Amino acid sequence: MDSTALALAVLLAAASAATPAWAARAQYDFNPGWKLTVGDPAGAHLPGFDDGAWKPVTLPRAWNEDDAYARDIVDHSTGIAWYRKRFTIEDRAPGQKVFIEFEGARQAAEVFVNGRRIGLHENGVTAFGFDIGAALVAGENVVAVRTDNRWDYREQATGQRYQWADRNFNANYGGLPKNVRLHVTESLYQTLPLLSNLGTTGVYVYARDFDIPGRSATVTAESEVHNGSHQVRSFTYEVEVRDKDGKAVARFAAAPQTVAAGATVTARAGAKVEGLHFWSWGYGYLYDVVTTLRVDGKALDSVVTRTGFRKTGFGDGMVRLNDRVLQMKGYAQRTSNEWPAVGLSVPPWLSDYSSGLAVESNANLIRWMHVAPWRQDVESLDRVGLIQAMPAGDSERDVGDRRWGQRVEAMRDAIVYFRNNPSILFYESGNKGVSAAHMAEMRALRDRYDPHGGRAAGSREMLGGALQEVAEYGGEMLYINKSARNPMWAMEYMRDEGARKFWDDFSPPFHKDGDGPLHKGQSAATYNRNGDSFALETVRRWHDYWRERPGTGKRVSSGGVNIIFSDSNTHHRGAENYRRSGEVDAMRIPKDAFFAHQVMWDGWVDVERPRAHIVGHWNYAPGTVKPVHVISSAEQVRLMLNGRDLGPARQSDRFTFTFDAVAFEAGELKAVGIDARGRQVCVAVLMTAGPPVALRLSAIPSPHGLRADGADLALVQVEAVDAAGRRNPVALDTVRFELAGPAEWRGGIAQGADNHVLARTLPLEGGVNRVLVRSKTDAGKIVLRARSDGLAPAEFALASTPVAVNGGLAALPAPPPLRLARGPTPPTPSFAPSRIAVPVAGSTAASNGERAALSVDDDETTSWANEPGVPAEITYRLARPALLRELVLKLTGWRERSYPLRVFVDGAEVYRGTTPKNLGYVTLPLAPRSGSEVRIALDGQADDAGAIRMLEVANQANADAGAQQVARSQLSIVEAEFYELP
């Protein structure tokens, strides 16, 4: 620390001792006390308009929330809806500024204050805000918002529709479904990060010069400061870093500076901070960074920025977090992230519950789809320690004209708004590849507005060498991509669907796996799976990504995300009118696929803790004989039925152990995982439950209880249990609910008419279901009763606590607690190298020899193929002699075509066989042979029978692996890799 910085630190310490760090800025929860009507009444913007008959609501609230899961997305209600609110700001001093901040609206929102039009926001995604101070009057004020969520809404200035207003993926929860805040500042203030409307960028906090083992980094804060007064102002910029418990761990300041009247400057201060807790996967450690403007020794304006510090790296085909390699494992989640009869407008604790479940499944990444998420979900992932990829706004293709401009503006605004959120590691420019020029434009946005955030700019695809020069990550949506340069992870690698209600072919309601209506005239079996089939397919799809993980060579896969985490009211193809691809259902009740991921993903790269999970249940009719599947990361699995060993398992896809014909016998079914040394390392147990005798109600706990604010929700689980209190896994009883007290019924979901949304009668599925109850604005005792014929009833009581609202304003609620269960980033390596890549010095071929090098160029958009009629073979000269054990190939048409091959090392045959169809890469075992020349030859005609079908892809061009462009007599190699073992 230099002498100037030391002097400033001393001054800061003295000032802090005399003056509290919290200063004159006031922030309010502006959600309470709104009124809502659907329609477009004349004069609704005027303060004297009679809104007495309008519906009282607390935001966030979509006006068409009842549609969530009751209707197909294409049938969501659309049109004009108005929101109005009366409010009073007491003791507002002359010259103070007042800003209203909306976290978003759908699609467009026109804002009026006391009858004056303040502004318009139209993109339906990003946050926006306005300076409303000039429109305010003493006493009561009225804000009115006219919203329009029509699918065909067009930008007023250009007449252009928004690409992402799409009926496939962007559920249309209209109006004001996100939070609203009010800010009151002095005339000299730190701006808000609302670029489109206010033209301001706010506060930017970042860390550099990381010493991960030493737990230190240089922390810098920058604030855009505006002087809204009519005189020159001088100020000192001070920074305090507070840990999760509110303790100050660092204080530093900048030299005093002056800003002219009406001008804007940037204040900046930084210092090395010791003893940091670095944000990590499953370790959502956050700091409050308080930036203060001090004038004449008085704290005039303070902003609290909640953020976390972490080091990232993107290179060698891998992602590094705090210097440890992390293979991406997670979910491509619809940004609506909705719940039945509520949509996306849930309280923060419920967002954390959902996000926390994803972490429990051992996911480390959420890729939001098509449009940027709202602030609440971004902050939720910060708290639970879950990485996220943030898109701007798009559909399924690159675009030009005004639509590209709309996307750039959405990305720009989202970067500015979210650049302090540590969980964002990826900025996604497109849900399909974009041009090099467009990618460069998006990367320039990152460089301008977030140059120090440690985030990669990229897009789906971006596989070619030229595109990898401008993009910093990429990856396809269905296939495995590998790279020795940019990380490549699959944007969507499994799109099958399966309802939680269906266990297997042997369980009530006896849904046969795959049964369901046709989809576009074709079989929809992959969209109507049973639970066991869905879980097993989850394992099969992940296996190829795991096989090409970091540590398996120079070119690796950086992982992928499965679509989706929770069943979604979007883009379905199965029997229901909503998508059932989730690892949990719409009420976040896990399916078996949830536990399959939990087993396979338990590690940063390699499995770090062995687990086992028995797929399904153990309640069958006498005489039932069925396969039992165990998902385990152990080397071997033994299955015990009431203490009897059922013999060895048949292993497939590394993690699946199948016992083919097990006769049901009531009692205990136990799977024991065994490591390579024969030691027991994990156990899973299923017990037969008795017939259900009673209902049981229990709440998923909220950390702050139920707030009587008119928006908070209680999530209550109902189960059918046996005499010992065990859930009966095949119970399908119908439950009738009664609700008493100051609460509103929002219900749950189940198969049936309108999916039982808002119904007071709800069937159990697999012995369990859940319902939502929303608080009202009066506090008190709430009682929920559940009854079902033949079962003892259940009753559950809770009390909502009052929330103070004064003049339409409330204090901001405390955020949910941080989730730190996984602990800090481990200092040990995340993988052990399992094979060593042998580089290629040169290659020759009997035809197209000038293209032979394209098969080893680390570019999956290029390939070599022989000319028809010319010998289909290619020879590689290794950079050194090696004892080769494996050959890895990406062959054109990999999904549709099998190639009969012969492989020779220095003239000796080391492999003869037919390659299996695959999702990108195939590994061929070689007979051990040391040499320096490898020849690969086609041994007959390639076979196109038995292709892996990708019916779940709406645009079949996305499933094209190139087989139609290459004759069966040609050998076509996209990439070839040569390996020896350690």
Side-chain angles (χ1 to χ4, degrees), residues 688-696 717 719-728 767:
T688 304
V693 299
L695 295 176
R696 179 169 63 204
Q717 181 164 288
E719 301 168 274
V721 298
D722 67 6
R726 295 172 297 199
R727 181 196 302 174
N728 184 290

Side-chain angles (χ1 to χ4, degrees), residues 848-965:
N848 289 332
E850 73 282 0
R851 295 182 59 85
L854 299 180
S855 64
V856 288
D857 64 350
D858 195 21
D859 185 333
E860 293 183 350
T861 66
T862 62
S863 62
W864 166 86
N866 64 288
E867 293 287 350
V870 179
E873 61 181 45
I874 186 170
T875 300
Y876 299 94
R877 187 177 76 259
L878 303 181
R880 58 177 173 81
L883 179 62
L884 295 182
R885 299 301 298 268
E886 292 181 341
L887 169 64
V888 176
L889 296 172
K890 186 165 195 174
L891 298 161
T892 300
W894 55 85
R895 175 177 63 83
E896 305 148 293
R897 178 163 293 176
S898 295
Y899 290 81
L901 298 180
R902 298 180 71 189
V903 181
F904 303 84
V905 173
D906 284 0
E909 185 175 280
V910 295
Y911 174 86
R912 178 182 288 192
T914 300
T915 63
K917 296 171 178 67
N918 58 85
L919 296 180
Y921 284 85
V922 62
T923 297
L924 305 181
L926 305 181
R929 172 76 178 185
S930 185
S932 58
E933 185 177 275
V934 181
R935 180 165 60 93
I936 305 173
L938 186 67
D939 189 25
Q941 293 275 321
D943 177 18
D944 287 355
I948 300 173
R949 304 185 73 192
M950 293 289 184
L951 289 178
E952 73 268 25
V953 184
N955 180 1
Q956 280 294 306
N958 290 329
D960 183 19
Q964 305 308 312
Q965 287 75 51

Side-chain angles (χ1 to χ4, degrees), residues 234-255:
S234 295
F235 66 92
T236 299
Y237 182 65
E238 301 173 350
V239 181
E240 182 174 88
V241 181
R242 297 175 175 173
D243 67 13
K244 69 178 182 64
D245 299 317
K247 177 184 176 182
V249 297
R251 294 188 179 97
F252 45 93

Side-chain angles (χ1 to χ4, degrees), residues 36-41 54 63 79-83 108 145-149 174-175:
L36 164 66
T37 193
V38 179
D40 196 11
W54 290 20
W63 65 264
I80 309 300
W82 280 85
Y83 294 75
V145 183
R146 181 184 186 270
T147 66
D148 184 346
N149 74 322

